Amino acid sequence: MYERRRMWANAYLQDKFCAGFRTTSRCEGVNAFVKKFSKTTHTILELVQNLELVVREYRNKELLLHLNSMNSVPVMTTGLTSIEQHAASVYTREVFTDVKKQIVQTVALILISKKRCLNTMVYTVEEYEQPATRIKVAYGRSTGKIHYQCNFWRKNGYPCRHMFFVMKSEHVTTIPDALVLQRWRLNVKSIESYVERWAGTSEAGFLLRHGALHTASHRLFLIGAQKLSLFRKALNGVLTLCRELELEYRAFDNGGGKGR
Ligand SMILES: [Zn+2]
C-alpha cells in the first residue's frame, strides 16, 4: 500500500477537491501537493497525517483566495471592457484569471462566415495558423442562448474563446446567466457559510480558525524574513498583537467565557 502511495493519495485528494467538478488546473495543484509530500514521508501513519495536513492547507488557501476575490478589484486589460468587467464581478478571482485568457484569445479567431436563420446567428470561425479547424457557434438573438461545437465548456464550465468571440460580435456586454455556473460564482453567501464555520465553538471551529491564521501568516513570514528591518517590524507587530489578544482572551475567560 505504501509503495503505491502516489496513486491512492491522488484518489483521496481528488475525491475531496475535484469530485468530478474541479478544473484540470485545480487537479494539477493537488498533484503538485501530493508529489511534494509523498517524497518526504516514510511510514503510512506519517503519510495519513500529512494527507490531513495537505487537505487543511489546501482548504485554507482556497478560503484566502476567496476572501481576496471579495476584497480587491482587478485591472481590466483585454480591451473588451464591459464583458471583462462583468466576468470579474461574477467569477471568483481564480476562475476569472482563466476566463480572461479565453477573452484575450478571441483575437486569434478569424471570422469565416456569419449566417442568419430567423433569430439565430451562426458563426463559423477558424483559429489563426490552423485554417483546417473550423468551429461553428450559434447565437440566439432573442433567447441569448449560445450553442457551440467545441468541448471546452463541458470540460471547464466557463465560456471558451469561441463563445466570447460570438458575444463580442453580437455586442453582448454581459455573459449570459446560464453560462455562469454556480460553482464558479463569486458569491457572498459562500463567504458567510465560511464565517459561520469559523464561528463554531467546537474543536472543528478551533482547527478551522487555527488553520486559516496559519495560512494567512505565510506572507508575513515570507516578507518579514527578507531584511533585518522588516523582520524587526514583523516581530514587534506580532508581539504587540499577541499582547492585545492575550488581554482580551483573559478578560473573556474571567468573564465566564468558555475559553475558545
Ligand atoms: Zn470553444
Side-chain angles (χ1 to χ4, degrees):
M1 202 169 167
Y2 180 73
E3 289 304 308
R4 295 183 174 183
R5 62 195 183 280
R6 183 73 59 79
M7 280 165 70
W8 63 261
N10 252 324
Y12 176 85
L13 291 175
Q14 296 203 350
D15 186 48
K16 288 222 171 202
F17 298 113
C18 301
F21 69 82
R22 277 308 196 174
T23 62
T24 45
S25 70
R26 174 55 56 94
C27 291
E28 276 159 22
V30 172
N31 286 341
F33 264 86
V34 171
K35 232 183 193 167
K36 202 172 80 184
F37 86 81
S38 62
K39 272 190 202 144
T40 56
T41 49
H42 306 290
T43 65
I44 288 227
L45 179 65
E46 264 183 300
L47 192 60
V48 171
Q49 283 170 340
N50 278 348
L51 272 174
E52 277 310 313
L53 278 180
V54 167
V55 169
R56 236 201 292 163
E57 187 84 334
Y58 215 93
R59 294 231 165 101
N60 290 331
K61 283 214 168 120
E62 188 163 72
L63 172 61
L64 287 176
L65 267 175
H66 210 92
L67 284 172
N68 249 349
S69 320
M70 304 294 298
N71 298 322
S72 57
V73 183
V75 180
M76 299 298 122
T77 55
T78 63
L80 302 176
T81 310
S82 297
I83 210 136
E84 188 185 347
Q85 252 163 7
H86 183 249
S89 71
V90 292
Y91 287 115
T92 63
R93 192 55 39 86
E94 204 184 4
V95 175
F96 172 64
T97 309
D98 294 338
V99 170
K100 198 163 159 167
K101 282 182 197 148
Q102 294 303 311
I103 300 179
V104 168
Q105 284 174 16
T106 58
V107 299
L109 294 175
I110 300 151
L111 179 67
I112 299 301
S113 70
K114 174 174 156 179
K115 284 179 188 143
R116 186 177 175 149
C117 177
L118 298 172
N119 262 334
T120 301
M121 300 300 301
V122 179
Y123 286 81
T124 306
V125 294
E126 69 181 27
E127 309 264 350
Y128 173 61
E129 288 188 311
Q130 295 173 40
T133 55
R134 291 204 169 169
I135 302 264
K136 274 190 165 58
V137 190
Y139 176 77
R141 279 191 171 161
S142 51
T143 58
K145 276 192 180 156
I146 299 181
H147 292 278
Y148 40 85
Q149 262 183 344
C150 85
N151 283 325
F152 189 93
W153 167 264
R154 213 173 26 165
K155 208 171 137 209
N156 298 282
Y158 54 85
C160 63
R161 57 193 178 280
H162 309 111
M163 293 169 165
F164 280 118
F165 181 86
V166 168
M167 290 182 223
K168 172 176 92 168
S169 310
E170 291 287 320
H171 301 280
V172 172
T173 52
T174 57
I175 301 167
D177 215 44
L179 294 180
V180 185
L181 295 185
Q182 198 56 41
R183 62 175 179 260
W184 303 140
R185 261 179 210 273
L186 180 63
N187 82 47
V188 187
K189 272 195 186 139
S190 66
I191 278 289
E192 278 168 358
S193 78
Y194 266 121
V195 173
E196 265 167 37
R197 281 164 57 200
W198 271 354
T201 50
S202 63
E203 187 72 14
F206 170 79
L207 284 176
L208 202 64
R209 290 190 292 270
H210 186 279
L213 286 173
H214 191 266
T215 308
S217 309
H218 282 174
R219 205 162 162 69
L220 170 84
F221 303 152
L222 193 69
I223 299 170
Q226 299 292 329
K227 266 172 46 177
L228 186 61
S229 59
L230 294 172
F231 168 73
R232 282 197 179 121
K233 194 170 181 177
L235 191 60
N236 281 333
V238 169
L239 293 176
T240 309
L241 185 61
C242 283
R243 270 196 297 275
E244 282 173 26
L245 291 175
E246 262 166 27
L247 281 176
E248 201 172 312
Y249 178 61
R250 251 184 260 148
F252 171 71
D253 230 18
N254 292 335
K258 272 189 254 159
R260 260 174 201 167

